[in-house]
Amino acid sequence: MLALFLFLILVAIVLGLIGAVVEGLFYLLIIGVVVFVADLVVLGARRSRRLHRHLVR
């Protein structure tokens, strides 16, 4: 799971850099930001669910 998280962070950074540098590809920057935010939300949801299960025991 951590490998997928790191891969998505890497993809978001690459898309953001390409979108910021290449003129006319601003949409790639937006996609990179969306991927980054979605990745953080999924990580937070998994961490919250794990913490909740641990407290219930």
Side-chain angles (χ1 to χ4, degrees):
M1 185 63 200
L2 186 60
L4 178 63
F5 173 74
L6 293 175
F7 176 72
L8 288 176
I9 293 292
L10 183 67
V11 167
I13 290 171
V14 169
L15 286 175
L17 285 175
I18 292 172
V21 171
V22 178
E23 188 175 328
L25 294 180
F26 183 70
Y27 65 93
L28 285 180
L29 177 62
I30 301 301
I31 292 171
V33 169
V34 169
V35 168
F36 181 73
V37 169
D39 195 27
L40 290 179
V41 167
V42 168
L43 180 71
R46 284 188 169 270
R47 189 169 290 217
S48 172
R49 191 171 42 189
R50 250 187 227 159
L51 180 63
H52 180 67
R53 257 193 283 162
H54 183 62
L55 291 175
V56 171
R57 287 183 179 180

